[in-house]
Amino acid sequence: MAKMMLREAINKTIHDEMERDKNIVIMGEDIVGGMGTAGGPEAIGGIWGLTGGLYAKFGANRVIDTPISESCIVGAAAGAALAGKRAIAELMFADFVGVCLDQLYNQMAKFRYMFGGKTKCPVTVRITYGAGMNAAAQHSQAVYSMLTSIPGLKVVMPTTPADAKGLLTTAIRGDDPVMFFEHKTLYGISGEVPDGEYLLPFGNARMTREGNHASIVTCGQLVRAAEKAADALAKDGISCDVIDLRTTSPLDEECILDSVENTGHLIVADESPPRCSLASDIAGLVASKAFAALKAPIEMVTAPHTPVPFARELEKAYLPNAAGIEAAVRRSLAYRH
Amino acid sequence: MPLSKDQLRRAYRQMKTIREFEERLHLEIATGDIAGFTHLYCGQEAVAVGVCEHLANDDFIVSTHRGHGHCIAKGCDVVGMMKEIYGRRDGLCKGKGGSMHIADVNVGMLGANGIVGAGAPLAVGAGVAARMDGAGKVSIAFSGDGACNQGTTFEAMNMAVVLKLPVIFVYENNHYSEHTGADYAVGSKDMTKRAAGFGMLARKADGCDFFAVYDLMTEVLQHCRSGAGPASVELDTERFFGHFEGDPQRYRGPGELERLRETRDCLKNFRATAKARKLIDLAELDAIDAQVMQLIESAVTQARAAPVPQAADVFEDVYVTY
Ligand SMILES: Cc1ncc(C[n+]2csc(CCOP(=O)(O)OP(=O)(O)O)c2C)c(N)n1
Ligand SMILES: [Mg+2]
């Protein structure tokens, strides 16, 4: 075990995997940084500092600093994968999914199926996402719900440094395209990370709190908010399951359903807007598969159906938070037919 | 036609206003009072002003993430902008957009943009509208050297040529896209030749020399307003601050910033030319400097005192809420 920040865990995992497998190539904007400048290569190592040291170690054939061309970054990663390589592509902000959606949606997601299983498409697209830094409407979005709806893509969201390692390793070694969502406010959190080989299977949620009164299902940044809410409720004798989904596709249905069967109260906390969201998806799942267990209407704590606003006061009001989750649990428990 | 004294005073005032707006923001951001990502335009003033001084209120511009200069040059209210950047309720966009999304369609400013390369197609659309309106209106797409590598930019250039639209692609080559050098990311190293390859008029000038920009734009605008089709203009310029506020700028060479401030300052250049060509009394420019400082001081004071948005404002200006 070693204590490190989530950003360090990601950096180290990429280093380890590229060391282990010479077939891996990584590409993205400023992932080396300083190309064509007086400062020279490695001036930055990614704007979030996640790709530092790769260029010096693995060289220009495998660590590719690209022009600002998201369609081509993601497309080239998919093309390299078709041609037998294993690719990691970086989107500096999740919002830029909007620029390269064709390559994600019509191309890499569909190859294996559309080509009758004759090809694999081992691409990990690392994507920085989420609100909380006042980065406004085009640099703050939580687009994982949208990508979760696309058949052929796997969608992953680590919330601890250990999970970042375990899930990223699985993503890189897997044969399907993976959207690997990293919340920008989680890069600095610290935790113990297992040494050596450490892989976490997809579709395996993590129960971060256990209880009997309510089930809080969430992912990404909101896991911490859910834990905070659960801890506050525990002081009043209300105990909750907090389920960190880790991957939204595949989804650990069993974990969710088992929990709801036990508690009868479901609260889903989701940073994306409410329509066609992870929240509505899980609500649908539970309504169709565990209806009889429900003792109250399902509570969905989501961002509002608006773009992400800039001003501090507005973004704060926009983001779901611990108080909102706590109130939702209390509402659910107070519900009477 | 040489510029009149009035035109000179106006151009200088606009450039100085942008400069001081940005210099002041640099200080204010360091205090932590301003949220979010801010990209300062300082150093590139002669581009925005050299272009926009030719434009009428109903000509269109489309801007970038580094948009404050374009906004001021096109006539956005400086106090409203400052309030927006401070995230105030009566800011130009009610505090919803912030630095990267300032827009004011009433002055033909169709928006700063957080998505690099998104502007050029929008400018093509504004070019379609401009032609429908007749009367020689034009649409300008400001883009960086980094943005010019985005597929959307190529599509926009080609479509503007195909449709023979009154669109001018203004490329501000400040030699960096974030931490990457333009010579690395622009494969041909010459975006003007590349633009010419699309079949449009393609010219370049020193973007730190207001007079060079202004003169080139006289010619290029005549071409576009007369219906001869789109054009590309590459302006060699410099950014005096980091990519965003907080950028450690490790890609710069030793003494680079000092040298740029010394030799590539468009305001100093303006004064030098004004003096050499005896265009205007420098004391007049000093007087403008003093007025601009007052304006900026007042904008900051007003922005600080302005009311912040209310939580309920989140739900306004969107077609439906759930
Ligand atoms: C689609 C997209 N990709 C990447 C970014 C991140 N980004 C913001 S500004 C920038 C560099 C832009 O360079 P350039 O066009 O030269 O403009 P400058 O910053 O020099 O004004 C990058 C990569 C973005 N905002 N949008
Ligand atoms: Mg640039």
mmCIF file of all heavy atoms in Angstrom, chain A residues 31 41 75 172 223:
data_model
loop_
_atom_site.group_PDB
_atom_site.id
_atom_site.type_symbol
_atom_site.label_atom_id
_atom_site.label_comp_id
_atom_site.label_asym_id
_atom_site.label_seq_id
_atom_site.Cartn_x
_atom_site.Cartn_y
_atom_site.Cartn_z
ATOM 1 N N ILE A 31 -0.716 16.630 -23.533
ATOM 2 C CA ILE A 31 -0.400 15.541 -22.588
ATOM 3 C C ILE A 31 1.108 15.469 -22.363
ATOM 4 O O ILE A 31 1.563 14.938 -21.357
ATOM 5 C CB ILE A 31 -0.949 14.160 -23.014
ATOM 6 C CG1 ILE A 31 -0.312 13.672 -24.313
ATOM 7 C CG2 ILE A 31 -2.463 14.180 -23.113
ATOM 8 C CD1 ILE A 31 -0.566 12.205 -24.569
ATOM 9 N N PRO A 41 9.623 19.841 -24.504
ATOM 10 C CA PRO A 41 8.657 18.818 -24.098
ATOM 11 C C PRO A 41 8.644 18.612 -22.583
ATOM 12 O O PRO A 41 9.645 18.864 -21.913
ATOM 13 C CB PRO A 41 9.159 17.555 -24.801
ATOM 14 C CG PRO A 41 9.980 18.033 -25.936
ATOM 15 C CD PRO A 41 10.569 19.345 -25.504
ATOM 16 N N GLY A 75 -10.864 9.519 -32.863
ATOM 17 C CA GLY A 75 -10.902 8.683 -34.061
ATOM 18 C C GLY A 75 -9.587 7.941 -34.258
ATOM 19 O O GLY A 75 -9.572 6.753 -34.593
ATOM 20 N N ILE A 172 -7.825 -0.382 -19.424
ATOM 21 C CA ILE A 172 -6.752 -0.438 -20.425
ATOM 22 C C ILE A 172 -6.559 -1.862 -20.937
ATOM 23 O O ILE A 172 -6.334 -2.086 -22.120
ATOM 24 C CB ILE A 172 -5.434 0.113 -19.824
ATOM 25 C CG1 ILE A 172 -5.573 1.620 -19.547
ATOM 26 C CG2 ILE A 172 -4.263 -0.148 -20.770
ATOM 27 C CD1 ILE A 172 -4.398 2.212 -18.763
ATOM 28 N N VAL A 223 -20.546 10.728 -4.376
ATOM 29 C CA VAL A 223 -20.350 9.672 -3.374
ATOM 30 C C VAL A 223 -19.984 10.306 -2.032
ATOM 31 O O VAL A 223 -20.511 9.939 -0.978
ATOM 32 C CB VAL A 223 -19.252 8.676 -3.825
ATOM 33 C CG1 VAL A 223 -18.886 7.733 -2.698
ATOM 34 C CG2 VAL A 223 -19.727 7.901 -5.056
#
